[in-house]
Amino acid sequence: MADSRFGMVEPGELPEDLRERIGRIAEKSGFVPNIFRALGHRPAELRAFLDYHDALMDRADGLSKAERELVVVATSGANHCVYCVVAHGAILRIRSKDAQLADRVATNPWQVELDERARAIIDLALALTRRPELFGEDDIAAARAAGLSDDEIWDVGAITALFAMSNRLAHLTALQPNPEFYTMARIQRQ
């Protein structure tokens, strides 16, 4: 099976700014995630995707980095997006320091046992993911009651929205996860 039904663009074929940006990611992870190679066909869209992704996922305040990845994995699991579940599941394992959390969340985000805050985060993301036309004040009130600030609620919603798009692009392209993602942070060292 091909990594993408529309082919891939190698980093050396990208405009210089994207080559440098993707190069930093590859240096940190040890490989180029397939999403960047798939979106490389449209450099302006890749730039916009990276900018919005980084604005949401690299914020220093509000949700923790692990909580942000929790939203991605729950949303992607609900949307049946294999690429994002596998890729962001690896990142969640790293950031949460929990080798099982990502798999539990991805396979049944509605029933996974979590603390009150994490449950509220996932419930909010799932409400917006699965029934956006019914999303409303009750969903916001439940998140606030669990202690989420309006800024954190915005983050959950914005991350959910970005990954709805990302999940759909992965479906459109039949994007396959890099093999490296499957093994990342699976075994916790003592």
Side-chain angles (χ1 to χ4, degrees):
M1 177 182 283
D3 288 331
S4 169
R5 71 169 42 106
F6 295 99
M8 301 291 235
V9 174
E10 294 306 320
E13 301 171 63
L14 293 169
E16 184 176 346
D17 67 310
L18 288 172
R19 217 173 25 248
E20 289 175 13
R21 197 165 180 182
I22 302 304
R24 287 191 299 272
I25 294 167
E27 186 175 306
K28 190 174 182 180
S29 66
F31 61 97
V32 177
N34 285 341
I35 186 72
F36 307 129
R37 295 173 55 231
L39 295 180
H41 292 287
R42 297 188 173 205
E45 292 174 33
L46 176 55
R47 251 184 231 100
F49 176 83
L50 287 167
D51 287 344
Y52 197 42
H53 175 279
D54 293 354
L56 291 174
M57 301 303 285
D58 292 342
R59 288 191 53 191
D61 57 346
L63 299 175
S64 71
K65 288 187 180 280
E67 288 171 333
R68 292 171 194 280
E69 293 298 335
L70 188 66
V71 173
V72 176
V73 173
T75 299
S76 299
N79 286 328
H80 308 287
C81 180
V82 173
Y83 181 86
C84 293
V85 163
V86 173
H88 288 274
I91 298 168
L92 179 56
R93 287 191 299 274
I94 291 166
R95 294 203 167 143
S96 69
K97 297 178 180 24
D98 183 333
Q100 298 174 10
L101 178 61
D103 292 338
R104 292 191 333 260
V105 169
T107 57
N108 192 347
W110 297 272
Q111 297 298 318
V112 63
E113 288 187 35
L114 301 164
D115 64 38
E116 181 183 10
R117 179 177 170 84
R119 179 81 263 153
I121 289 168
I122 286 183
D123 287 347
L124 186 65
L126 291 173
L128 192 55
T129 299
R130 295 300 287 236
R131 52 179 185 78
E133 72 282 3
L134 300 177
F135 187 88
E137 289 305 316
D138 290 346
D139 299 299
I140 300 292
R144 286 179 178 145
L148 273 71
S149 70
D150 283 355
D151 196 48
E152 291 171 327
I153 291 168
W154 182 278
D155 282 345
V156 170
I159 293 165
T160 299
L162 174 66
F163 279 89
M165 179 201 71
S166 181
N167 297 162
R168 298 316 182 262
L169 284 171
H171 288 297
L172 172 70
T173 61
L175 190 60
Q176 297 301 303
N178 301 67
E180 294 89 344
F181 282 128
Y182 287 98
T183 57
M184 290 173 71
R186 287 274 178 202
I187 299 173
Q188 291 186 354
R189 302 191 192 255
Q190 306 294 354

